Amino acid sequence: MANSSSGMAVDDECKLKFLELKAKRIYRFIVFKIEEKIQQVTIEKLGSPEETYDDFSSSLPADECRYAVFDFDFTTDENCQKSKIFFIAWAPETSRVRSKMLYASSKDRFKRELDGIQVELQATDPSEMSIDIIRGRAL
Amino acid sequence: MYGGDEVSAIVIDLGSHTCKAGYAGEDAPKAVFPSVVGSIDQMEVDDAANTDTNSGAAMDAKSNAKTPDSDKSKGKRKLYVGSQALGYRRDNMEVISPFKDGIVADWDIVDNIWDHAFRECLLIDPTEHPMLLAEPSSNPQQQREKAAELMFEKYKVPALFLAKNAVLTSFASGRATSLVVDCGGGSTTIAPVHDGYVLQKAVGTSLIGGEFLTDCLLKSLESKGIKIKPRYSFKRKEVRPGDFQPFDVDFPNTTESYRLYSQRVIASDIKDSVCRAPDSPYDESAYANIPMTPYELPDGQTIEIGSDRFKIPDVLFNPTLSQTIPGMESLSEFAPSVRGLSQMVIESINKCDVDIRRELFSSILLAGGTASMQQLKERLEKDLLEESPQAARVKVLASGNTTERRFSVWIGGSILASLGSFQQMWFSKTEYEEHGASYVQRKCP
């Protein structure tokens, strides 16, 4: 256990939907939100496989923190179809300190629940999670 | 598990220079006072002490029948805690610090500081509130156990948590992974944090912090013939209506350490008002002709500060610069390997695993009291861009809000301790009684 973790619990639905994203590939992305009142990480939004990366990035609020998982399809230099699962910790500069603290201190525990994340990013503005950066990290 | 979240927790960040204390959930600490205390040997003072207690700034009589001062006389010395108590000059009062090389060496002083925070600043009963203490990133085990023991045995707190400085700063900026550059009063610490763990092997510290810069400024001004008169050493009298003249007052029994403390208070204000980090390494000739900035000292004399405005902050980047200041040549003694800020950052990152270096370079967090220095962030970013590997995307982040920058550790602790879900994480009194102080290692890793 990391020092100073918040002790936030994780809704089982998060694990189930993540497994579906990973194994059945029926979602493109999942956005997670912390509900402070019930002290749990819950699902805020599910993206269908047809949705694009732009749809995904526009579903992250500009001034609030979120966690998100994105299934990124790409083609390697050898023309090989691949996909990688990204975990993104979204903490925009303009969000409240309380929200930043809440998400950062709950992340370690939450990430452990999601087995199969291949790349992890933390972003404070859209430029830190642009499609170029995603592609760069995937290859 | 500690179950009561209806009473708010108390958060204390005892830094090398200032102690920050307040209620969890608030935006800023209620009490901010020096981490140094005044000490008078009881052997030397007998009658004089009694008159002192009453006139002294040591809080007023509303707290108790017996004055707070009498609580503090432990053993053979009497300690004076808090800015007010320290602001009042007393014969033979030495100014001493509980720290030595960044860790607590005198627990009796810490005990007095906590006591001051609880009973005189926050006016709370420690037996009712859980305590969250911020601690240095590489605090040795026996220090942590000692803190737990004192809190549970003496203050009988219901629950305790020890959180690491760097982790709190990192979390408060929304990052679980970052490189925390904490420019504090007594030292500068560089600590990489990965997923909420401090990477102990890569932590770097240097004794060059705000206090060192203040001393440089003080000596540099002295070498130019400017003498800073401590506030106690003169009285201002109105010679004509509206015209005040300072008259020196002589106190032969003032200790050297108290004189220095009082001078530092003034020099530190000069530093905060006029100093600014230069855009590129300081060069004597380039700054020879810059315009002078006036500053009015408490005794009414106005001094002019020129190149020192830029030279002093540059010591952070180039510590050897301090050796050109008369009276500060001692640097070579305390560490021959003192590095500048940007070298320390790069060294620390290079000690980390290759896989996370890129991420660390792009989230360097600048925090601490000295981080509010103008242009410090820009200069650090510029130097790092020049010295870092090509592929690295260097990004230095600092909160735009000075309070958040200065108190990032405390604010992080304040939010953490106020989270509903955190209530299960406390190291409770029952657990302490069952498992002993060493259990702190398990509860607060």
Side-chain angles (χ1 to χ4, degrees):
Chain A
M1 187 176 46
N3 178 261
S4 315
S5 71
S6 71
M8 194 65 66
V10 180
D11 187 3
D12 284 340
E13 199 67 3
C14 296
K15 288 176 252 179
L16 286 173
K17 295 292 178 205
F18 178 75
L19 277 176
E20 287 181 4
L21 175 139
K22 186 172 78 170
K24 299 189 191 158
R25 309 204 68 193
I26 53 171
Y27 304 116
R28 174 62 55 198
F29 62 84
I30 310 175
V31 179
F32 303 95
K33 182 185 181 187
I34 294 181
E35 285 295 348
E36 231 197 302
K37 285 201 184 75
I38 53 166
Q39 299 174 17
Q40 270 193 354
V41 185
T42 57
I43 289 180
E44 187 186 50
K45 191 176 176 187
L46 293 163
S48 63
E50 300 81 48
E51 292 195 66
T52 61
Y53 187 76
D54 289 334
D55 296 328
F56 164 63
S57 48
S58 60
S59 54
L60 292 174
D63 54 0
E64 271 180 79
C65 301
R66 289 290 182 271
Y67 301 123
V69 167
F70 184 78
D71 186 6
F72 181 63
D73 288 327
F74 61 102
T75 326
T76 59
D77 295 341
E78 292 88 39
N79 230 348
C80 179
Q81 287 282 330
K82 278 196 153 183
S83 86
K84 272 196 177 163
I85 298 176
F86 277 72
F87 179 87
I88 294 164
W90 171 244
E93 208 99 328
T94 47
S95 55
R96 290 178 55 220
V97 194
R98 189 177 175 87
S99 155
K100 291 179 186 173
M101 187 77 202
L102 185 62
Y103 279 79
S105 57
S106 313
K107 194 192 86 170
D108 192 50
R109 163 90 188 275
F110 177 58
K111 222 181 60 191
R112 279 161 206 268
E113 302 283 352
L114 309 181
D115 184 27
I117 291 164
Q118 286 156 302
V119 192
E120 194 191 330
L121 277 182
Q122 47 182 359
T124 55
D125 64 69
S127 73
E128 280 180 86
M129 47 175 287
S130 68
I131 190 79
D132 295 332
I133 288 183
I134 298 276
R135 195 171 287 127
R137 290 291 296 270
L139 293 173
Chain B
M1 195 211 265
Y2 170 74
D5 51 346
E6 62 284 340
V7 265
S8 82
I10 298 296
V11 179
I12 304 180
D13 171 18
L14 179 57
S16 52
H17 181 264
T18 347
C19 176
K20 284 78 78 178
Y23 308 100
E26 295 194 352
D27 300 339
K30 266 258 142 42
V32 178
F33 57 89
S35 296
V36 291
V37 300
S39 158
I40 300 183
D41 251 326
Q42 286 293 285
M43 311 302 272
E44 290 171 34
V45 276
D46 26 58
D47 308 336
N50 298 329
T51 49
D52 254 10
T53 353
N54 302 328
S55 59
M59 310 310 129
D60 43 61
K62 73 176 171 208
S63 42
N64 275 316
K66 50 178 185 177
T67 64
D69 283 320
S70 55
D71 286 337
K72 298 219 176 70
S73 48
K74 193 179 183 181
K76 285 180 187 135
R77 63 182 182 182
K78 178 173 268 186
L79 297 179
Y80 297 86
V81 194
S83 357
Q84 266 184 303
L86 271 168
Y88 183 80
R89 193 207 65 87
R90 291 172 176 82
D91 282 349
N92 304 314
M93 180 169 79
E94 296 279 359
V95 175
I96 51 175
S97 160
F99 298 102
K100 196 168 182 293
D101 301 324
I103 60 165
V104 176
D106 190 331
W107 280 96
D108 179 38
I109 302 180
V110 174
D111 185 11
N112 277 282
I113 290 177
W114 285 348
D115 197 71
H116 175 80
F118 297 152
R119 299 185 207 282
E120 284 153 45
C121 302
L122 305 175
L123 305 172
I124 54 124
D125 177 2
T127 60
E128 290 170 359
H129 299 262
M131 299 288 161
L132 186 135
L133 305 178
E135 58 169 4
S137 302
S138 27
N139 207 13
Q141 184 175 342
Q142 77 269 27
Q143 294 277 324
R144 315 183 81 218
E145 288 178 18
K146 177 77 194 171
E149 206 180 296
L150 197 56
M151 273 296 176
F152 284 117
E153 301 285 348
K154 173 155 189 233
Y155 292 98
K156 308 213 172 344
V157 298
L160 174 76
F161 196 83
L162 301 182
K164 298 201 185 306
N165 282 344
V167 176
L168 292 177
T169 299
S170 181
F171 283 180
S173 75
R175 288 163 186 270
T177 299
S178 69
L179 185 85
V180 178
V181 178
D182 189 343
C183 282
S187 65
T188 295
T189 308
I190 317 274
V193 178
H194 185 245
D195 275 349
Y197 293 89
V198 176
L199 304 176
Q200 296 291 354
K201 281 183 184 155
V203 174
T205 25
S206 96
L207 291 175
I208 298 186
E211 195 108 287
F212 188 80
L213 299 189
T214 305
D215 285 352
C216 285
L217 180 62
L218 200 59
K219 293 285 187 232
S220 181
L221 290 175
E222 268 173 19
S223 75
K224 294 185 171 69
I226 300 169
K227 203 170 165 331
I228 294 179
K229 284 188 198 160
R231 190 62 192 84
Y232 64 82
S233 70
F234 61 87
K235 278 204 162 60
R236 295 181 80 175
K237 282 191 186 131
E238 199 168 20
V239 282
R240 275 184 303 278
D243 186 7
F244 289 88
Q245 286 288 324
F247 291 95
D248 289 354
V249 212
D250 194 28
F251 291 113
N253 290 327
T254 310
T255 61
E256 182 60 21
S257 63
Y258 187 73
R259 192 181 60 84
L260 189 62
Y261 167 79
S262 317
Q263 283 184 319
R264 274 180 182 159
V265 171
I266 300 169
S268 150
D269 185 64
I270 305 178
K271 183 187 71 181
D272 295 342
S273 339
V274 305
C275 283
R276 159 195 162 137
D279 301 333
S280 51
Y282 177 81
D283 170 17
E284 195 79 53
S285 55
Y287 285 93
N289 292 321
I290 66 143
M292 306 290 264
T293 309
Y295 179 91
E296 191 187 337
L297 292 175
D299 63 349
Q301 74 170 302
T302 302
I303 57 168
E304 300 260 301
I305 299 156
S307 57
D308 280 342
R309 280 181 66 199
F310 298 95
K311 181 176 177 176
I312 302 300
D314 203 50
V315 170
L316 280 175
F317 293 94
N318 177 15
T320 48
L321 195 63
S322 67
Q323 282 162 300
T324 63
I325 299 168
M328 290 305 292
E329 295 92 347
S330 59
L331 181 67
S332 45
E333 289 170 22
F334 73 70
S337 60
V338 201
R339 303 255 188 285
L341 201 54
S342 40
Q343 285 106 304
M344 281 175 68
V345 168
I346 290 180
E347 267 176 31
S348 170
I349 294 183
N350 285 338
K351 280 186 193 153
C352 297
D353 197 278
V354 189
D355 297 339
I356 64 161
R357 285 184 199 166
R358 179 160 64 171
E359 190 160 17
L360 291 178
F361 266 119
S362 62
S363 44
I364 297 169
L365 300 177
L366 188 58
T370 307
S372 314
M373 176 87 67
Q374 285 185 54
Q375 295 295 314
L376 187 66
K377 173 185 165 230
E378 289 77 7
R379 170 67 188 282
L380 179 64
E381 190 158 58
K382 179 174 166 284
D383 278 18
L384 284 173
L385 274 172
E386 285 166 10
E387 292 165 39
S388 62
Q390 289 256 298
R393 279 176 75 240
V394 175
K395 194 164 172 194
V396 180
L397 303 135
S399 170
N401 180 326
T402 0
T403 321
E404 276 178 24
R405 236 189 249 202
R406 183 165 173 219
F407 299 129
S408 63
V409 171
W410 189 91
I411 294 173
S414 161
I415 300 170
L416 187 71
S418 68
L419 296 178
S421 57
F422 185 74
Q423 306 314 318
Q424 56 183 309
M425 310 302 279
W426 292 103
F427 176 23
S428 74
K429 193 174 163 62
T430 332
E431 284 169 319
Y432 173 78
E433 279 159 0
E434 223 167 281
H435 305 275
S438 60
Y439 201 59
V440 74
Q441 302 294 113
R442 285 272 301 280
K443 291 297 285 187
C444 326

